[in-house]
Amino acid sequence: MKLNGVTIPNPHEFRIERYKLTKAGRVASGKMTMELVAKKRKFIFRYNVLSGSEVNLLLDILDSDAVFFTLEYPDRGGVATAIVYAGAINQRLFRTDGDWVWTDVQFDLIEQ
């Protein structure tokens, strides 16, 4: 997987949510009308454990001043791309055997 052309660590869990953006309303009879505006995806990344350098690699991209990013990801036996923006980035610092690691790192990338 790549983010802005940079290879990122493979997540422990990677999911894609597909959803439809619609414009809905009701007519005088009460019947609902709905128009499909766009089909979008949300990419869900979950990491069990990352080193400090791996977290820094992700944050250098996601926590930069840029708003949109290019995501390259595996899809249907090939590689697909999407223009995305980052949701909240969660991480927890954990000490194990004298070393500090980041656990439960998670973020979502939402299609533009």
Side-chain angles (χ1 to χ4, degrees):
M1 261 185 251
K2 291 184 179 182
L3 199 52
N4 277 359
V6 176
T7 300
I8 61 171
N10 286 324
H12 174 258
E13 180 182 352
F14 175 69
R15 292 184 294 141
I16 301 173
E17 288 183 4
R18 298 174 191 274
Y19 57 96
K20 296 177 182 178
L21 295 177
T22 59
K23 180 179 178 182
R26 298 214 177 252
V27 295
S29 68
K31 182 179 178 181
M32 177 178 264
T33 61
M34 191 174 296
E35 175 185 351
L36 177 63
V37 176
K39 293 180 183 178
K40 297 293 179 178
R41 297 163 292 184
K42 178 165 63 170
F43 305 92
I44 301 160
F45 290 78
R46 302 291 181 262
Y47 296 90
N48 287 341
V49 178
L50 288 175
S51 68
S53 62
E54 290 172 318
V55 167
N56 286 341
L57 174 73
L58 292 169
L59 290 178
D60 284 349
I61 300 168
L62 298 175
D63 202 26
S64 68
D65 291 337
V67 178
F68 295 108
F69 313 98
T70 301
L71 172 67
E72 294 178 39
Y73 63 96
D75 189 40
R76 300 180 187 183
V79 176
T81 61
I83 304 299
V84 297
Y85 63 94
I89 304 166
N90 296 298
Q91 62 210 47
R92 184 169 64 106
L93 189 58
F94 184 77
R95 187 174 182 132
T96 175
D97 298 329
D99 293 325
W100 290 94
V101 295
W102 293 97
T103 63
D104 303 323
V105 178
Q106 47 190 312
F107 58 88
D108 297 339
L109 299 177
I110 302 106
E111 190 171 16
Q112 180 181 23

